[in-house]
C-alpha cells in the first residue's frame, strides 16, 4: 500500500515565494494547499485539518500570530505543527512566538533542505503522539488513491532519483513500460526526448532551489544530480540563456 502523502497548508502573501515553496514541496512528494491571503486560509482551516501549517509572520489583514491564535482555539489543532516564516531575526520576536506555542521558525532567505528536515521532524513527532493515544488511527480508514497521469508519475519518480544517475531502463521499469515506450510517451506529451526532459527537470529544480534562497552552487549541483559543475553550468546557460551565477544575481536584484 502506498503511503498517504503529508498534507501541508502554506500561507504566504509573497506569491512568488509561496508558489516556489509549494512547487518544491510537491516535488518532494508532499500534498500542498497554498493561500496568499490569511483570511481565506482561515476559512479553509475551519473545515480542513492538514498535517502541518507553514505561515508567514507579516501579512496584511491578519498576520501569522493572529492566525495561529485563532486556529489553536480549536482543540483539533493542538497537535498540528505550526512553522512560522519570518525575515525578522530579532530574538524577542522569536521568543514571543515560541512562548505562544509556535513549533519552529524558518528565517528568510532559507535553505530548502532546512525546511524539509523541519517538516519531517515535526511530522514524525506528531505521528508518534497520535500513535501513543490512538494505537491504530487508520485501521478503519480506506484510503482511495486516484489514478495518476503519466507525467505526474514520471515526475514523482524523477524527484526521488534526482541526485543519482538515472538509468532509462530502470526508469521505464518503474513505470511498467519499455524504454522505447517511455521515450515515445515523453515525446508525445512534451515534444522532448526522455533525456532532454530529465535534464530540464533537473534544471527546473535548480531554479526552484535558487528562487527559494539557496546560493551554494555546489550544493545545487549535488541536489540536482549533475555529474559535474561544468556540465551543470553549460546546461543551465543553454536552457536559460544565463550562467547560474548571473541568474542568482538577477534574483537578488529582484529582492
Amino acid at each position: 500500500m502506498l503511503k498517504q502523502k503529508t498534507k501541508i497548508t502554506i500561507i504566504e502573501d509573497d506569491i512568488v515565494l509561496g508558489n516556489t515553496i509549494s512547487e518544491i514541496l510537491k516535488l518532494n512528494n508532499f500534498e500542498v494547499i497554498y493561500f496568499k491571503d490569511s483570511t481565506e486560509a482561515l476559512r479553509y482551516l475551519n473545515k480542513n485539518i492538514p498535517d502541518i501549517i507553514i505561515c508567514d509572520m507579516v501579512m496584511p489583514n491578519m498576520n501569522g500570530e493572529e492566525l495561529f491564535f485563532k486556529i489553536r482555539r480549536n482543540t483539533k489543532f493542538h497537535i498540528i505543527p505550526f512553522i512560522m516564516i519570518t525575515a525578522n531575526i530579532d530574538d524577542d520576536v522569536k521568543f514571543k512566538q515560541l512562548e505562544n506555542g509556535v513549533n519552529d521558525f524558518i528565517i528568510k532567505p532559507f535553505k530548502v533542505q532546512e525546511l524539509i528536515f523541519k517538516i519531517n521532524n515535526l511530522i514524525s513527532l506528531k505521528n508518534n503522539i497520535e500513535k501513543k493515544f490512538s494505537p491504530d488511527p487508520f485501521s478503519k480508514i480506506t484510503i482511495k488513491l486516484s489514478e495518476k497521469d503519466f507525467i505526474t508519475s514520471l515526475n514523482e519518480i524523477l524527484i526521488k532519483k534526482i541526485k543519482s544517475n538515472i538509468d532509462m531502463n530502470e526508469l521505464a521499469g518503474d513505470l511498467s513500460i519499455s524504454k522505447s515506450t517511455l521515450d515515445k510517451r515523453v515525446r508525445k506529451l512534451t515534444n522532448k526526448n526522455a533525456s532532454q526532459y530529465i535534464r530540464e527537470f533537473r534544471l527546473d529544480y535548480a531554479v526552484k532551489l535558487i528562487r527559494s534562497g539557496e546560493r551554494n552552487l555546489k550544493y545545487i549541483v549535488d541536489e540536482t544530480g549533475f555529474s559535474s559543475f561544468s556540465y551543470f553550468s553549460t546546461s543551465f546557460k543553454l536552457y536559460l540563456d544565463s550562467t547560474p551565477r548571473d541568474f542568482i544575481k538577477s534574483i537578488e536584484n529582484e529582492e
Side-chain angles (χ1 to χ4, degrees), residues 114-139:
E114 178 188 9
L115 176 59
I116 292 174
F117 280 152
K118 289 189 174 185
I119 289 172
N120 287 335
N121 288 343
L122 287 172
I123 289 299
S124 177
L125 177 61
K126 172 179 173 289
N127 290 341
N128 287 336
I129 292 173
E130 287 179 335
K131 287 178 182 178
K132 180 178 179 181
F133 293 100
S134 193
D136 189 11
F138 301 114
S139 61

Side-chain angles (χ1 to χ4, degrees), residues 154-201:
L154 173 59
N155 288 349
E156 288 183 355
I157 294 170
L158 290 179
I159 195 62
K160 291 177 182 178
K161 298 186 174 186
I162 196 168
K163 295 182 185 180
S164 61
N165 180 28
I166 297 172
D167 180 88
M168 290 297 183
N169 289 313
E170 184 179 322
L171 179 59
D174 290 336
L175 291 163
S176 300
I177 56 178
S178 66
K179 181 180 176 181
S180 60
T181 301
L182 168 64
D183 195 64
K184 288 176 182 177
R185 287 195 183 180
V186 172
R187 286 178 185 274
K188 180 180 179 180
L189 295 170
T190 69
N191 293 319
K192 304 168 187 175
N193 63 41
S195 295
Q196 180 186 358
Y197 183 84
I198 293 170
R199 183 172 63 254
E200 293 182 3
F201 182 90

Side-chain angles (χ1 to χ4, degrees), residues 22 36 60 86 91 114 125 133 143 148 153 155 161 167 169 229 235:
S22 298
K36 64 179 184 296
T86 180
D91 283 342
E114 178 188 9
L125 177 61
F133 293 100
I143 300 171
K148 300 170 184 175
S153 298
N155 288 349
K161 298 186 174 186
D167 180 88
N169 289 313
F229 177 79
S235 300

